[in-house]
Amino acid sequence: MNSDADRHVQVIGIGAGDPAWLTLEAVRALEALDVAFVFQKGADDELAAARRALLPEGVREVVIEDPPRGRGAEAVAVWRAERVRLVREAVAASDGNAGFLAWGDPTLYDGLIGVLREAGFGVGVVPGISAVSALAARFGVALNRVAGAVLITTGRRLEAGWPSDADDVVVMLDAGLAFRAYPDAEIFWGAYLGTPDEMLLSGVVAEVGAEIERVRGAARLRKGWMFDTYLLRRASSA
Amino acid sequence: MNSDADRHVQVIGIGAGDPAWLTLEAVRALEALDVAFVFQKGADDELAAARRALLPEGVREVVIEDPPRGRGAEAVAVWRAERVRLVREAVAASDGNAGFLAWGDPTLYDGLIGVLREAGFGVGVVPGISAVSALAARFGVALNRVAGAVLITTGRRLEAGWPSDADDVVVMLDAGLAFRAYPDAEIFWGAYLGTPDEMLLSGVVAEVGAEIERVRGAARLRKGWMFDTYLLRRASSA
């Protein structure tokens, strides 16, 4: 067993759903692992199961039960500290080439890199196809317009008003359906991207917003979880 | 030969440099092509050559000479219209499963999707590892901070002042080195990502900015072209 300071842990981006979105680099990185760590929320965590299904034979699998997460900044800080502790222990108890499988792209709205650094490990990152790229590809649209900017943000931030720096906004983690405040905007909405449950809806918010809300609510009830993202586009201000 | 309206053309993201950043989906899409189109700027276009090197045997390769591009909005519009015309003609003159190879991710700062739509074709997109993902992976950093936003923008826009909606800004297409206006920001700069010429520099702009400028200028002279991107991060305002 090595000391923590020696340990270098890989975060391997496995893409945002479809196993065909694995890169050749990710395939090789998975094959080179001795032990793979997967965060799991409860026994029926479909995303965790999908990650584990990508592991080559012979790679030892260690499931880390994701600690419960309360609401509010303080509760999130507690959850995060607990994750750091769990990761530190799990990696310290392992030998060989260790890696974490990250949904989508580890560099975008995924806390693993930060958690591993805080736990004191060196981190290597294999980039992956993010939900943002996957969404745009499914609709066959570019994220940016000519010479324009793209803001990737959260639902909470969008609730505060349309950003001043971009006419094209990608929203992650939006349980509050902030798009409803912008009836004139065009929306490209996708859920469970790259999986058999994939759902895609697009149009002017005034026309498709209610349908998205309905379909999203029903799917969330049926599956018990929701993972969606959307591109919101307003008339160019340039 | 089909009519244009029937033609469905693929834009295949091949990743931002390293051939190992090809996804399994992209590998399959390349293998399924009958004809591949590659835009090329002059006979010594290294990026075009790298794209063509990824083509499987048996795929017919059609090089489209990229028209010259002047400065200013009007010149860019002329260039764009000429690209649309060239693409329309080239695809119309071909048979079978046709695709374009796009550097990085076709959905981010790549005009091909728009050009193909304007030319009247249906477009299918295979997402790729963007230079943005590749940059963050190389440095082992996340693009966003907890609950934060990320703006992907141009050097020209950054010159107008620090954006109000994000403390983390990724800059594409910046010949003017706009980062120099922000000496206190932290920069993660990468050029020729994923290629043997890859260059990476990071630190506080006040300390590494001049070095980036020097290294960038020398490489541009030596190779005749520059393809770089950077993440600029200021102290969190949250």
Side-chain angles (χ1 to χ4, degrees):
Chain A
M1 206 176 293
N2 306 316
S3 78
D4 286 7
D6 294 335
R7 286 304 282 276
H8 190 84
V9 182
Q10 286 199 83
V11 182
I12 303 169
I14 56 167
D18 191 336
W21 286 335
L22 275 173
T23 65
L24 303 178
E25 185 185 31
V27 171
R28 283 174 211 156
L30 291 173
E31 281 167 356
L33 288 182
D34 296 305
V35 54
F37 299 93
V38 177
F39 269 108
Q40 177 176 285
K41 289 175 185 153
D44 60 346
D45 183 336
E46 276 185 69
L47 286 175
R51 280 192 285 261
R52 285 150 57 193
L54 295 177
L55 286 178
E57 275 190 51
V59 176
R60 195 158 69 82
E61 177 193 316
V62 175
V63 171
I64 303 178
E65 201 55 49
D66 217 349
R69 175 175 171 173
R71 284 190 173 273
E74 204 178 324
V76 169
V78 168
W79 168 76
R80 206 181 138 80
E82 180 63 6
R83 282 191 127 198
V84 169
R85 191 186 66 77
L86 289 169
V87 161
R88 191 183 285 129
E89 285 182 7
V91 174
S94 75
D95 268 314
N97 189 9
F100 282 75
L101 276 59
W103 201 252
D105 183 353
T107 74
L108 205 56
Y109 291 91
D110 179 285
L112 264 177
I113 294 174
V115 166
L116 285 165
R117 287 205 186 283
E118 214 173 310
F121 302 114
V123 180
V125 176
V126 175
I129 299 295
S130 68
V132 178
S133 287
L135 176 81
R138 281 297 197 245
F139 283 106
V141 297
L143 293 166
N144 65 291
R145 278 170 285 179
V146 177
V150 181
L151 184 73
I152 306 176
T153 192
T154 64
R156 176 154 304 182
R157 283 170 170 266
L158 187 61
E159 276 167 17
W162 192 283
S164 55
D165 303 308
D167 297 319
D168 297 271
V169 177
V170 177
V171 184
M172 318 282 283
L173 318 171
D174 182 16
L177 308 181
F179 62 80
R180 292 180 296 187
Y182 307 99
D184 296 335
E186 192 177 7
I187 187 169
F188 300 88
W189 176 83
Y192 312 116
L193 287 162
T195 77
D197 296 312
E198 179 172 283
M199 297 188 289
L200 301 169
L201 283 168
S202 68
V204 177
V205 168
E207 288 163 18
V208 299
E211 171 78 353
I212 291 173
E213 193 172 346
R214 192 187 62 71
V215 164
R216 188 183 187 279
R220 199 169 158 226
L221 268 182
R222 191 172 69 244
K223 288 180 66 74
W225 58 283
M226 169 52 61
F227 191 72
D228 62 340
T229 186
Y230 57 86
L231 167 65
L232 204 59
R233 170 163 287 177
R234 70 173 178 186
S236 177
S237 58
Chain B
M1 205 176 295
N2 307 315
S3 79
D4 285 5
D6 294 336
R7 284 306 279 278
H8 190 84
V9 182
Q10 286 199 84
V11 182
I12 302 169
I14 56 167
D18 191 335
W21 286 335
L22 276 173
T23 64
L24 303 178
E25 185 184 32
V27 170
R28 283 175 212 155
L30 291 173
E31 281 167 357
L33 288 181
D34 295 304
V35 54
F37 300 93
V38 178
F39 269 107
Q40 177 176 286
K41 287 174 188 152
D44 60 347
D45 183 336
E46 277 186 68
L47 286 176
R51 280 192 285 262
R52 286 152 53 193
L54 296 177
L55 285 179
E57 275 190 52
V59 177
R60 195 159 68 82
E61 177 193 317
V62 175
V63 171
I64 304 177
E65 202 56 47
D66 216 350
R69 175 177 172 173
R71 284 188 173 273
E74 203 177 325
V76 169
V78 168
W79 169 74
R80 205 180 139 80
E82 180 63 6
R83 280 191 129 198
V84 169
R85 190 186 65 78
L86 288 170
V87 160
R88 191 182 285 130
E89 286 182 8
V91 174
S94 75
D95 267 313
N97 188 8
F100 282 76
L101 276 59
W103 201 250
D105 183 353
T107 73
L108 203 58
Y109 290 92
D110 180 285
L112 265 176
I113 294 175
V115 166
L116 285 165
R117 287 206 187 284
E118 213 172 311
F121 302 114
V123 180
V125 176
V126 176
I129 299 294
S130 68
V132 179
S133 288
L135 176 80
R138 279 299 198 245
F139 283 105
V141 297
L143 294 166
N144 65 293
R145 279 171 286 179
V146 176
V150 181
L151 184 74
I152 306 177
T153 191
T154 64
R156 176 153 304 182
R157 283 170 171 266
L158 187 62
E159 275 167 17
W162 192 284
S164 55
D165 302 307
D167 297 318
D168 297 271
V169 177
V170 177
V171 184
M172 318 283 283
L173 320 171
D174 181 17
L177 309 182
F179 62 80
R180 292 180 296 187
Y182 307 98
D184 296 335
E186 193 177 5
I187 188 170
F188 300 88
W189 176 83
Y192 313 117
L193 287 162
T195 77
D197 296 312
E198 179 173 283
M199 296 189 289
L200 302 170
L201 282 168
S202 67
V204 177
V205 169
E207 289 163 17
V208 299
E211 171 78 354
I212 291 173
E213 192 171 345
R214 192 187 62 72
V215 163
R216 188 183 187 281
R220 200 169 159 227
L221 268 182
R222 191 174 68 245
K223 287 179 66 75
W225 59 283
M226 168 52 61
F227 190 72
D228 63 340
T229 184
Y230 58 86
L231 166 65
L232 205 59
R233 169 164 287 176
R234 69 172 178 187
S236 176
S237 57

